[in-house]
């Protein structure tokens, strides 16, 4: 696709303010398409047809890729060719009629409120690591931020006096409040844990590992699995579980969807709507399990 791809990536970053992960996904998907088309002798974007793109989708499916991965590739193609057509790089949009495979949306796994408390309270000691782990779990559940946002938080992003954090993703910024439990855990970590972990080093990041470096997703994944096991929680917990639990518990306790959407950073409220559906499913399950005349 030649020169149009770098221009498209610049457009995503500068005009659409797309997040770094979104830009990376588009770039990866379109590079794979470019390689496929090149292997089939198609080197000019003007020569790409709907048949070429549908053949590529079939190729991806034959590779055994998941429905979600194929759907994302279709979305990347549709966005790119719509852009190329609008910029008059091509006369017609070959991706206009492309159809993504249907994805069955799975309801996210969530913890009960009692399980959540048990999990968060597992790191209960005063060692630097436990102070850090408790603060991370408290803040994750208090704000519903993504794990990538948690580990990339900087000291300057945290306002302990006003109980809020600032999350930045691409060109977007959102302010998220947190409660006293999270504030107290953060204060204990900053007072008695972080400097010990840094061992004289300096870091702009709020959470650091035992070597004083920034925490990794894998590192957090391991610690949350360990604490879930200690808490006797049998559910398959992922770092996203506390994020989903945060949203579901807010909706369950009467929070309005618009506020939850803003805190979660969802661009479309339909994404947030699943927590309302989740709550509805829970109500029905409780009814069938407990009502004397079901």
């Amino acid at each position: 696709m030649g020169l149009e791809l770098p221009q498209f990536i610049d457009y995503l970053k500068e005009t659409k303010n797309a997040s770094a992960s979104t830009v990376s996904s588009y770039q990866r998907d379109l590079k794979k398409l470019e390689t496929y088309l090149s292997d089939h002798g198609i080197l000019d974007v003007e020569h790409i047809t709907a048949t070429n793109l549908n053949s590529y989708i079939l190729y991806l499916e034959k590779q055994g890729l998941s429905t979600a991965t194929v759907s994302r590739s279709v979305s990347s193609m549709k966005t790119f060719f719509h852009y190329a057509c609008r910029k008059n790089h091509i006369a017609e949009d070959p991706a206009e009629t492309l159809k993504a495979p249907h994805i069955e949306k799975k309801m996210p796994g969530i913890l009960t409120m009692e399980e959540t408390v048990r999990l968060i309270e597992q790191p209960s000691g005063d060692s630097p690591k436990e102070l850090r782990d408790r603060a991370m779990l408290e803040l994750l559940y208090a704000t519903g931020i993504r794990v990538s946002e948690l580990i990339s938080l900087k000291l300057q992003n945290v306002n302990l006096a006003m109980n809020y954090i600032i999350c930045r993703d691409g060109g977007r910024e959102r302010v998220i409040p947190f409660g006293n439990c999270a504030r107290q855990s953060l204060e204990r970590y900053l007072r008695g844990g972080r400097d010990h972990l840094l061992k004289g080093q300096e870091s702009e990041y709020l959470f650091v590992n035992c070597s004083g470096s920034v925490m990794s997703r894998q590192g957090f994944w391991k610690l949350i699995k360990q604490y879930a096991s200690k808490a006797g929680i049998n559910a398959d917990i992922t770092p996203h579980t506390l994020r989903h639990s945060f949203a579901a518990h807010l909706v369950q306790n009467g929070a309005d969807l618009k506020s939850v959407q803003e805190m979660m950073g969802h661009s479309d409220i339909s994404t947030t709507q699943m927590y309302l559906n989740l709550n509805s499913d829970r109500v029905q399950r409780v009814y069938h399990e407990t009502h004397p005349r079901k």
Side-chain angles (χ1 to χ4, degrees):
M1 282 175 277
L3 298 175
E4 287 81 6
L5 188 49
Q7 293 169 0
F8 173 66
I9 296 303
D10 288 341
Y11 160 77
L12 290 176
K13 292 176 181 175
E14 296 167 11
T15 305
K16 302 297 286 183
N17 285 328
S19 69
S21 59
T22 298
V23 171
S24 177
S25 294
Y26 275 115
Q27 201 160 19
R28 187 167 55 250
D29 291 341
L30 294 169
K31 279 288 184 186
K32 287 180 181 177
L33 172 64
E34 192 171 36
T35 299
Y36 172 86
L37 293 172
S38 177
D39 289 346
H40 287 75
I42 302 166
L43 305 175
D44 194 323
V45 69
E46 294 180 357
H47 297 155
I48 299 170
T49 65
T51 302
N52 299 145
L53 299 182
N54 278 305
S55 296
Y56 178 62
I57 294 170
L58 287 173
Y59 165 77
L60 293 178
E61 291 173 339
K62 286 178 182 176
Q63 296 295 304
L65 298 177
S66 69
T67 303
T69 299
V70 176
S71 292
R72 194 196 66 207
S73 294
V74 171
S75 176
S76 296
M77 288 188 284
K78 288 179 83 70
T79 305
F80 170 75
F81 286 105
H82 176 72
Y83 160 84
C85 193
R86 200 157 50 82
K87 291 291 185 180
N88 296 318
H89 296 314
I90 52 177
E92 294 183 5
D93 182 353
E96 189 173 6
T97 59
L98 288 185
K99 294 280 192 296
H102 178 68
I103 301 177
E104 284 291 332
K105 278 197 173 179
K106 292 182 181 178
M107 296 304 277
I110 65 165
L111 301 175
T112 65
M113 292 184 193
E114 187 269 337
E115 285 174 329
T116 304
V117 171
R118 278 208 331 264
L119 174 67
I120 291 173
E121 290 182 346
Q122 287 310 303
S124 56
D126 291 325
S127 70
K129 181 183 180 301
E130 285 184 289
L131 291 175
R132 180 204 65 195
D133 295 351
R134 178 65 173 263
M136 292 186 81
L137 292 172
E138 287 278 16
L139 190 61
L140 193 62
Y141 179 61
T143 59
I145 57 177
R146 301 171 181 88
V147 174
S148 57
E149 294 170 330
L150 178 75
I151 62 177
S152 61
L153 269 180
K154 297 177 180 177
L155 283 172
Q156 65 185 34
N157 301 141
V158 183
N159 189 319
L160 286 175
M162 301 294 289
N163 283 28
Y164 69 80
I165 59 172
I166 298 174
C167 267
R168 292 185 176 89
D169 183 16
R172 291 168 291 185
E173 178 178 290
R174 65 190 198 279
V175 176
I176 311 168
F178 55 80
N180 287 329
C181 289
R183 178 176 56 79
Q184 289 166 10
S185 290
L186 281 168
E187 286 175 340
R188 289 183 68 212
Y189 163 64
L190 290 171
R191 191 168 55 244
R194 187 171 179 272
D195 285 346
H196 287 84
L197 294 173
L198 282 170
K199 299 180 179 70
Q201 304 173 69
E202 291 188 3
S203 176
E204 61 182 340
Y205 293 99
L206 174 63
F207 296 112
V208 294
N209 62 23
C210 294
S211 302
S213 302
V214 64
M215 286 283 294
S216 67
R217 288 176 61 90
Q218 293 83 357
F220 185 76
W221 184 294
K222 286 179 184 176
L223 74 84
I224 202 172
K225 292 275 189 184
Q226 290 166 359
Y227 289 129
S229 178
K230 284 178 66 178
I233 298 170
N234 298 319
D236 183 23
I237 287 185
T238 72
H240 241 45
T241 303
L242 277 179
R243 174 171 161 83
H244 290 313
S245 300
F246 159 84
H249 294 169
L250 279 179
V251 172
Q252 187 176 323
N253 285 296
D256 66 281
L257 284 183
K258 186 66 179 173
S259 296
V260 177
Q261 177 195 4
E262 288 177 10
M263 286 185 278
M264 296 286 280
H266 291 156
S267 56
D268 191 333
I269 200 165
S270 64
T271 307
T272 320
Q273 199 105 29
M274 69 177 172
Y275 298 108
L276 193 61
N277 299 334
L278 192 69
N279 195 38
S280 174
D281 290 345
R282 176 186 168 278
V283 169
Q284 290 187 40
R285 187 174 68 253
V286 170
Y287 175 89
H288 288 298
E289 288 173 357
T290 60
H291 197 282
R293 293 177 67 81
K294 51 183 176 285

